[in-house]
Amino acid sequence: MAEPATISYVFATSFAREEERLSLGEHLWDPGTTSRLAALGVGRGSRCLEIGAGRGSIAAWLAECGAAVTALDIDTSRLGWLRGCGVSVHRGDISRDPVPGGNYDLVHARLVVQHLADRAAAVRRMVAALRPGGHLVLEDTDTATTLATAGGVLRPRVRDAAYAVMAESGYHPRCGLLDVDLAHGAGLRDVRAEGRAEVITGGTPQGRWFALWLEHLKPAMVGRGLVTAAEVDAALADIDDPGTRWLSQVMITVIGRKGADEQAA
Ligand SMILES: C[S@@+](CC[C@H](N)C(=O)[O-])C[C@H]1O[C@@H](n2cnc3c(N)ncnc32)[C@H](O)[C@@H]1O
């Protein structure tokens, strides 16, 4: 397999911090994801592909439900433990490497498409891996609500600077909404979408997920002159304060079905 040269994944960082960030993200988003996947009837006998599996919580949950699970990621360094759950783990780039297996009942990718350079092509490859009648579930964020408080937005200059840096790496602030068009563009049927935002309290594990985000981007934000280090530190102090409450991004879930008359790859 070739080295993944086309990756625009902005959060390639030290192992320990990425491990913590992924873990906190799972804590924040897994309940909403698993309830939506369960509603699709995933269970014993289902064939599932988890793309950009990260630390592996969703792949493990699918396996616990009795599904046959394949996990794909450009970085499988955190996924070895999944083999003990019966998950087939593959290293690869969804943008260009062969997708392992095929004829899946479910293909799921959370917080992955929003980091890809050619999103439409990647989604078409995901659809090609489905069996006729199988479901694609994409989950990506919309930034409309990020750090919104009852009084406005928590440190809006810092928030905007963080997204400006991320945009340089190909991140689109409305990617969750764009996924709806990508699902239609890839020929899926019965496309539906909904969003969920979480209420976050400062000083909690969920809050820490936001702190890691800003800490990671701080050198780039400050280095480009978008904000000062003191502004970022003030935002981090707010995020650590149990008296602060804000909204997360909106996690948009897009679900579409491959036509029963379409060919499997
Ligand atoms: C933000 S993390 C999300 C992890 C997991 N889906 C979750 O929601 O907890 C993005 C994951 O996608 C992986 N990834 C990024 N670009 C990828 C690509 N082109 N092909 C496959 N995986 C990719 C990263 O290595 C990382 O594990």
Side-chain angles (χ1 to χ4, degrees):
M1 191 199 73
E3 284 303 306
T6 56
I7 300 309
S8 57
Y9 183 51
V10 73
F11 284 103
T13 179
S14 77
F15 186 92
R17 288 178 73 79
E18 179 66 351
E19 177 79 6
E20 183 184 8
R21 199 183 70 83
L22 288 169
S23 168
L24 294 169
E26 290 175 349
H27 191 64
L28 179 59
W29 299 116
D30 277 8
T33 296
T34 54
S35 66
R36 283 156 182 80
L37 296 182
L40 284 176
V42 175
R44 189 156 304 281
S46 304
R47 289 171 47 82
C48 301
L49 174 63
E50 175 68 7
I51 294 174
R55 223 175 130 264
S57 64
I58 295 300
W61 177 84
L62 289 166
E64 271 171 33
C65 293
V69 185
T70 299
L72 175 73
D73 204 295
I74 48 168
D75 176 1
T76 53
S77 58
R78 299 173 185 84
L79 296 176
W81 68 280
L82 284 178
R83 296 194 173 94
C85 309
V87 174
S88 177
V89 176
H90 294 260
R91 179 169 174 254
D93 181 340
I94 185 58
S95 296
R96 66 182 197 191
D97 293 321
V99 176
N103 226 20
Y104 290 102
D105 299 296
L106 169 75
V107 175
H108 172 249
R110 185 179 70 190
L111 298 172
V112 179
V113 172
Q114 64 188 31
H115 295 293
L116 301 179
D118 189 346
R119 300 182 185 97
V123 171
R124 282 196 300 272
R125 290 162 65 83
M126 295 179 193
V127 172
L130 286 170
R131 71 162 170 81
H135 286 95
L136 176 68
V137 179
L138 299 177
E139 293 189 292
D140 281 301
T141 49
D142 187 297
T143 62
T145 54
T146 312
L147 297 181
T149 66
V153 174
L154 186 68
R155 308 286 170 179
R157 277 174 48 81
V158 175
R159 181 198 115 120
D160 293 349
Y163 282 131
V165 170
M166 289 175 67
E168 291 174 17
S169 304
Y171 174 79
H172 192 292
R174 317 313 301 258
C175 192
L177 279 179
L178 295 183
D179 284 355
V180 184
D181 297 326
L182 294 178
H184 282 294
L188 290 174
R189 316 272 173 89
D190 303 330
V191 174
R192 59 189 194 274
E194 48 140 349
R196 64 186 190 276
E198 303 291 339
V199 177
I200 314 292
T201 299
T204 60
Q206 288 93 337
R208 174 91 182 121
W209 189 66
F210 288 81
L212 286 178
W213 171 54
L214 294 183
E215 284 171 12
H216 177 68
L217 295 175
K218 180 180 174 183
M221 290 190 275
V222 175
R224 285 162 180 71
L226 299 172
V227 283
T228 64
E231 285 178 284
V232 181
D233 291 343
L236 291 170
D238 287 344
I239 281 172
D240 199 36
D241 178 353
T244 312
R245 226 176 298 288
W246 66 91
L247 282 178
S248 70
Q249 303 80 331
V250 181
M251 179 69 82
I252 295 189
T253 305
V254 180
I255 300 175
R257 184 179 56 79
K258 185 169 178 172
D261 51 340
E262 288 183 44
Q263 291 299 307

